[in-house]
């Protein structure tokens, strides 16, 4: 019986079947859409280092025929034959993909699947639907990958762009088609027209020729000549006629004239009066002509779903770290080379090929989690893709270091470049919640993402600078921190809080600073 995989499921091929000569079938379809189904043979760096292992309609097999394109059969849109024990040692992954040929989106596809058949028996199937995708034009369906033994992974990862973009993602190059010079044709000799000896091959019926359109304004427009009118008689002279009174507009009470200059026009009968200029309309009212359900002040981008979502599109940039808004940060792992360490659980979405190595059981995780006592577990993000990070709606601030240093409260660290040097420091003092304040000092070249509750403020360090230990976020590494017990704020004035906190005093030369959040206000 075939095993049903979900997105992200992985298994050893030997646990699915003892065979190595496998059939891979892909079923994907949508009304009016055409798909190109391909297989990329990638090296250890997940790059297409050898173009001969890009198996598609123009190159149906690899040199040693370990990967072969078989065509549509047995209900599958496309099928492959994969002989694992014949794949050369330079190939570490086979990525099966589907891309749109022409207009369309992956959200339009119906129920589909990728399956593995061994010895005529289906052993595993990963099913998907178009509801799992949006505007993507390509999808990476499943992978055979070599990790001491061959394994299979259900991927189901959408990818922006078509086949060309997917090829570039794997390090391939798209060859530009050059128009070949036309060969001289010899004059044809005499021959009668050929007779049809076989019925024509099946093909889609030709589209009917469009009906000829009548040219607009083909005939000249004839306009009657204007009758010259005599100029009006001066006021008070014979023949002068006063202008007729203006006709009331639809819904206007007769006799209600035009308001004086600068005054708002009265509302039509039965309608609420409009708001003064520059003031918002009352709740529940829309200005005349505005579509219902559209907030005032929104740009006139037209109606519809795409217009409504235009304000929230992904922010494009060529930088490694890019704020998408005040509470969402994107990091592009393809830039910079080094990985990223982020607070475990802070990933809200990712695109591309990204590996997450959780550091809870590693040295880095123990150094931070055990030293701080705050269970700050880190995960390592590497690969080729983009990761979106957020933490409980906190405001996020990228701090770029260029050889300088900064101290950040461990609770305020969201993520940072792995290229940075960091160490955990402990500020001890009686009255500090938990007995100590744990900070991380970062130094080197890279970016630290700091999270705050609300918009922080940066203050210079003076001899009389004090801050609540729960409100301080970061400070310059050269500042000296002293636990101050001169002022204590008792927390037993209302139920549920019986402890007390202390202030931290900061000292340092001019140029030092502290960052404080409005969390305790």
């Amino acid at each position: 019986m075939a095993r049903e995989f979900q997105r992200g499921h992985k298994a050893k091929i030997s646990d699915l079947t003892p065979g190595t000569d496998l059939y891979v079938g892909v079923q994907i379809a949508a009304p009016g859409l055409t798909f190109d189904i391909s297989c990329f043979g990638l090296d250890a760096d997940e790059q297409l280092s050898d173009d001969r292992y890009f198996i598609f309609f123009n190159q149906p097999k690899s040199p040693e025929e370990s990967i072969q394109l078989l065509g549509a059969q047995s209900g599958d849109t496309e099928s492959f034959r994969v002989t694992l024990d014949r794949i050369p040692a330079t190939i570490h992954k086979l990525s099966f993909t589907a891309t749109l040929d022409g207009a369309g989106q992956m959200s339009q596809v119906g129920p589909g699947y990728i399956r593995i058949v061994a010895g005529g028996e289906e052993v595993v199937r990963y099913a998907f639907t178009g509801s799992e995708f949006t505007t993507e034009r390509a999808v990476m369906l499943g992978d055979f990958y070599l990790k001491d033994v061959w394994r299979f992974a259900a991927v189901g990862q959408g990818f922006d762009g078509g086949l060309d973009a997917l090829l570039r993602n794997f390090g391939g190059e798209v060859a530009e088609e050059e128009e070949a010079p036309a060969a001289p044709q010899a004059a044809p000799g005499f021959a009668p027209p050929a007779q049809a000896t076989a019925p024509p091959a099946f093909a889609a019926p030709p589209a009917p020729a469009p009906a000829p359109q009548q040219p607009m304004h083909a005939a000249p427009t004839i306009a009657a000549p204007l009758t010259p009118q005599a100029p009006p008689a001066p006021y008070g002279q014979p023949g002068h006629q006063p202008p007729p009174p203006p006709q009331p507009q639809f819904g206007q009470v007769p006799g209600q004239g035009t308001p004086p200059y600068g005054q708002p026009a009265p509302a039509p009968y039965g309608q609420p009066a409009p708001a003064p200029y520059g003031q918002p309309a009352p709740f529940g009212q829309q200005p005349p002509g505005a579509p219902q359900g559209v907030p005032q002040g929104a740009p006139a981008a037209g109606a519809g779903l795409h217009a409504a979502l235009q304000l929230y599109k992904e922010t494009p940039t060529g930088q490694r770290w890019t704020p998408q808004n005040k509470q969402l940060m994107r990091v592009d792992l393809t830039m910079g080379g080094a990985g990223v360490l982020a607070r475990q659980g802070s990933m809200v979405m990712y695109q591309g090929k990204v590996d997450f190595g959780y550091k809870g059981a590693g040295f880095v995780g123990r150094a931070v989690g055990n030293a701080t006592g705050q269970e700050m577990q880190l995960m390592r993000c590497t690969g080729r893709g983009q990761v979106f990070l957020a933490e409980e709606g906190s405001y996020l601030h990228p701090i770029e270091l260029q050889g300088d240093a900064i101290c950040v409260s461990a609770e305020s660290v969201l993520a940072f470049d792995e290229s940075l040097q960091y160490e955990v420091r402990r500020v001890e003092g009686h009255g500090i919640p938990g007995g100590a304040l744990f900070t991380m000092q970062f130094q080197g070249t890279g970016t630290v993402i700091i999270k705050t509750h609300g918009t922080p403020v940066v203050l210079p360090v003076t001899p009389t600078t004090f801050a609540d230990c729960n409100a301080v976020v970061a400070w310059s590494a050269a500042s000296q921190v002293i636990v101050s017990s001169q002022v204590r704020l008792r927390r037993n004035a209302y139920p549920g809080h019986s402890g007390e906190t202390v202030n931290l005093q900061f000292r340092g030369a001019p140029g030092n600073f502290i960052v404080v959040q409005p969390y305790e206000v």
Side-chain angles (χ1 to χ4, degrees), residues 287-467:
Q292 296 298 321
V294 179
Q296 298 186 45
L305 178 61
H306 291 285
L309 299 180
Q310 189 71 18
L311 293 174
Y312 313 106
K313 289 184 62 177
E314 179 183 0
T315 302
T317 184
Q319 301 178 1
R320 178 173 169 86
W321 295 91
T322 307
Q324 299 301 297
N325 51 53
K326 293 181 179 180
Q327 298 158 301
L328 184 64
M329 184 69 60
R330 183 191 69 196
V331 54
D332 191 344
L333 299 176
T334 60
M335 304 181 64
V340 168
L341 294 176
R343 187 179 293 267
Q344 183 172 333
S346 61
M347 184 277 295
V348 297
M349 187 185 74
Y350 71 93
Q351 295 175 316
K353 291 288 187 178
V354 180
D355 293 326
F356 297 94
Y358 292 96
K359 292 294 185 179
F363 174 77
V364 176
R366 289 199 304 269
V368 178
N370 295 341
T372 63
Q374 300 173 6
E375 298 299 329
M376 180 186 174
Q377 301 298 317
L378 298 176
M379 61 181 180
R380 185 170 181 262
C381 310
T382 57
R384 298 178 60 85
Q386 299 82 35
V387 181
F388 294 76
L389 303 171
E391 181 81 357
E392 297 179 349
S394 300
Y395 284 24
L396 305 182
H397 314 273
I399 306 297
E400 184 177 357
L401 301 180
Q402 296 290 342
D404 39 4
I406 189 174
C407 291
V408 184
S409 170
E411 281 295 319
S412 300
V413 177
L414 179 73
F416 55 92
D417 284 324
E418 196 176 19
S419 58
L420 288 173
Q421 302 174 3
Y422 64 94
E423 61 176 330
V424 179
R425 291 189 172 186
R426 179 186 180 102
V427 179
E428 298 183 354
H430 178 71
I432 297 180
L437 174 66
F438 296 93
T439 66
M440 299 182 67
Q441 177 173 321
F442 297 94
Q443 188 172 7
T445 301
T447 301
V448 183
I449 307 300
I450 298 177
K451 60 188 185 78
T452 64
H453 295 272
T455 304
V457 61
V458 180
L459 300 173
V461 171
T462 67
T464 58
T465 300
F466 297 83

Side-chain angles (χ1 to χ4, degrees), residues 19-168:
T20 58
D21 197 355
L22 307 176
Y23 171 98
V24 179
V26 174
Q27 204 283 327
I28 184 170
L33 300 184
T34 305
F35 296 88
D36 293 327
I37 302 173
S38 314
C39 176
F40 291 84
L42 309 176
D43 57 20
D45 295 326
E46 298 190 4
Q47 296 294 293
L48 184 65
S49 56
D50 191 337
D51 293 343
R52 298 176 300 171
Y53 289 89
F54 173 36
I55 310 303
F56 67 119
F57 55 89
N58 275 349
Q59 187 167 263
K61 59 183 178 180
S62 61
E64 72 292 330
E65 299 186 356
S66 62
I67 314 165
Q68 302 179 44
L69 187 69
L70 303 180
Q73 59 179 312
S74 302
D76 297 331
T77 310
E78 190 60 87
S79 60
F80 299 82
R81 180 181 180 181
V82 178
T83 310
L84 294 177
D85 52 6
R86 295 179 59 185
I87 295 177
T90 56
I91 302 300
H92 287 243
K93 177 179 286 189
L94 305 179
S95 181
F96 295 90
T97 66
T99 58
L100 277 165
D101 182 11
Q105 300 176 353
M106 283 297 173
S107 58
Q108 301 173 251
V109 304
Y113 60 79
I114 179 173
R115 63 174 179 165
I116 301 176
V117 178
E121 179 181 357
E122 183 176 320
V123 295
V124 67
R125 174 187 291 240
Y126 162 53
F128 56 87
T129 63
S131 61
E132 302 176 26
F133 312 107
T134 54
T135 60
E136 298 93 336
R137 293 179 44 78
V139 60
M140 292 177 277
L141 300 172
D143 293 342
F144 286 121
Y145 65 100
L146 186 61
K147 188 178 180 181
D148 61 53
V149 294
W150 281 103
R151 305 167 187 257
F152 174 74
V155 180
Q157 176 65 50
F159 191 89
D160 290 335
L163 182 59
D164 291 354
L166 193 62
L167 186 61
R168 293 188 181 97

Side-chain angles (χ1 to χ4, degrees), residues 165-249:
L166 193 62
L167 186 61
R168 293 188 181 97
N169 178 69
F170 289 132
E173 296 182 357
V174 180
E176 299 293 340
E177 296 183 359
E178 298 182 359
E179 186 175 352
Q185 298 183 357
F190 173 80
Q195 300 293 329
T197 59
F202 174 79
Q213 298 183 359
Q214 296 295 334
M216 299 181 63
H217 307 292
T221 303
I222 301 177
L226 298 177
T227 303
Q229 298 181 358
Y235 181 77
Q237 299 295 327
H240 172 76
Q241 294 182 357
Q247 296 294 326
Q249 299 180 0

